[in-house]
Amino acid sequence: MSGQPGTVLETALTALIGVRYPIVQTGMGWVAGPRLVSASANAGALGILASATMTLDQLRAAVKEVKSRTDQPFGVNLRADAGDARDRVRIIVDEGVKVASFALAPSKELIAELKDAGVVVIPSIGARRHAEKVAAWGADAVVVQGGEGGGHTGDVATTVLLPQVVDAVDIPVIAAGGFHDGRGLVAALAYGAAGVAMGTRFLLTSDSTVPDAVKARYLKASVKDVTVTTAVDGLPHRMLRSELVAGLERAGRPAALLRAVRHAAAFRKVSGLGWSQMVRDGLAMKHGKDLTWSQVLLAANTPMMLKSAMVDGDPSGGVMASGQVAGLIEDLPSCKELVERIVAEAGETLGRLRTL
């Protein structure tokens, strides 16, 4: 591989998807919309559209908008436990979307349905046993997120989890958690990965629709300004430290549950879901993750508190999911500039290694 931006870096991931570079822009809720996804795809990466906060009509419209902006492959991220998951799958199939990605492991039947329609299935996992399970069910590739990653995360570092999974499965493994540059891409490939997935780095681009005031908070953050808390929805969630997060941690469970009830009502209006559907989704989430009803209710906090920051532009009134890598990011390139930089730096890094 050379360091020239026009060079195609071929791995099992690029062969599977048909993208130019083994780089994935993750499906971040309220962030990974048509503009960011199409810009990522046009830059040669795999852009993933976040659909969990969209109605079915909004999802179809978003997919059509991405297709109007790019002729490159892209994907849609789905909630496997959503009551309307199969309706969303039908949209993906009807619209010819190349990739379906999942934050939770989809069922064996759902994987088969997608694969029969020619859709590439890529679940995200945080443990080796989960990777082994979805690989046995027929998943085409898997994203492995270590504890450095933003949003819901585990406590095993990428450098430990990644080689575990690479050794355990025979499908392409995409490394996530802590990546932002060409050196990281080379490191992931050295571990045996077929590429890297990045969320925070693509959030902090000029193509991202996240409001400027919120981007400024990310750029200002140091590594120590990124924390993991269970105060938002009862599960470990990596985000930027803020006055709101500190207040949530002080408030205790009763206040959090009351806030969750209000947020559930607000999310119902945004998503178009009826109360009965939300209860069914809650049941699926409860059993899928082995959660208490208190944790299921707290989960209603996440989408609306993310929306406050990522859409409404209120960094003090919302939460800002973030990987630890935010502390290393200092600029807002376009997706094209970012991908070209990563590829060039990867080439330079490989060149240095060849001289050893």
Side-chain angles (χ1 to χ4, degrees):
M1 170 191 166
S2 78
Q4 297 301 314
T7 300
V8 175
L9 173 58
E10 295 180 346
T11 71
L13 175 62
T14 61
L16 176 66
I17 306 298
V19 291
R20 190 174 185 86
Y21 303 119
I23 300 169
V24 177
Q25 163 254 302
T26 61
M28 300 163 280
W30 304 114
V31 176
R35 190 172 89 180
L36 181 61
V37 171
S38 57
S40 299
N42 285 328
L46 174 63
I48 303 291
L49 185 71
S51 77
T53 57
M54 297 179 183
T55 66
L56 293 175
D57 288 344
Q58 288 170 342
L59 172 57
R60 190 180 292 277
V63 169
K64 288 182 179 296
E65 184 177 345
V66 175
K67 290 167 63 178
S68 74
R69 291 170 174 258
T70 184
D71 59 0
Q72 298 301 306
F74 67 96
V76 171
N77 183 258
L78 304 168
R79 268 187 53 201
D81 59 350
D84 60 357
R86 277 195 156 74
D87 294 327
R88 293 170 184 270
V89 164
R90 182 48 49 196
I91 291 173
I92 287 175
V93 173
D94 289 347
E95 296 295 335
V97 175
K98 181 70 174 182
V99 174
S101 73
F102 293 88
L104 294 174
S107 66
K108 185 177 181 179
E109 293 73 24
L110 198 58
I111 292 176
E113 183 177 338
L114 284 160
K115 292 189 65 169
D116 287 346
V119 180
V120 176
V121 180
I122 307 180
S124 296
I125 59 91
R128 180 178 63 183
R129 68 183 185 277
H130 297 151
E132 292 171 334
K133 179 174 70 175
V134 296
W137 286 353
D140 296 291
V142 65
V143 174
V144 177
Q145 179 177 312
E148 300 94 322
H152 292 114
T153 193
D155 55 5
V156 180
T158 304
T159 50
V160 175
L161 181 60
L162 177 59
Q164 268 193 325
V165 175
V166 167
D167 291 345
V169 300
D170 59 1
I171 57 176
V173 175
I174 304 160
F179 297 100
H180 74 293
D181 62 7
R183 296 172 300 175
L185 173 56
V186 172
L189 297 177
Y191 271 112
V196 295
M198 303 183 297
T200 306
R201 178 62 277 194
F202 276 101
L203 184 156
L204 293 173
T205 60
S206 60
D207 294 304
S208 162
T209 57
V210 172
D212 290 343
V214 176
K215 287 181 180 177
R217 288 289 292 265
Y218 279 90
L219 293 177
K220 184 180 178 181
S222 70
V223 172
K224 292 184 178 180
D225 291 323
V226 186
T227 187
V228 175
T229 182
T230 60
V232 173
D233 59 12
L235 297 172
H237 201 133
R238 186 175 290 283
M239 60 187 65
L240 294 187
R241 293 184 187 277
S242 67
E243 302 85 351
L244 174 64
V245 172
L248 290 173
E249 291 177 335
R250 290 193 303 266
R253 184 58 61 93
L257 291 173
L258 180 60
R259 184 181 294 107
V261 171
R262 295 197 301 268
H263 284 154
F267 184 65
R268 175 176 171 269
K269 293 181 180 179
V270 170
S271 65
L273 294 175
W275 284 112
S276 60
Q277 183 62 63
M278 291 183 70
V279 170
R280 285 195 294 271
D281 285 357
L283 279 168
M285 181 187 301
K286 182 178 188 296
H287 296 304
K289 294 183 180 179
D290 193 26
L291 304 180
T292 66
W293 273 114
S294 176
Q295 288 172 317
V296 170
L297 182 56
L298 282 170
N301 278 319
T302 302
M304 299 314 297
M305 296 181 83
L306 284 170
K307 180 178 181 292
S308 293
M310 302 305 167
V311 178
D312 302 336
D314 182 6
S316 62
V319 299
M320 295 164 283
S322 176
Q324 283 184 306
V325 76
L328 306 179
I329 297 173
E330 299 177 342
D331 62 351
L332 299 170
S334 68
C335 289
K336 182 177 185 294
E337 292 166 340
L338 173 63
V339 171
E340 288 182 351
R341 180 198 304 175
I342 290 172
V343 172
E345 187 177 27
E348 293 165 3
T349 302
L350 287 171
R352 288 198 304 272
L353 291 174
R354 291 190 188 101
T355 67
L356 296 178

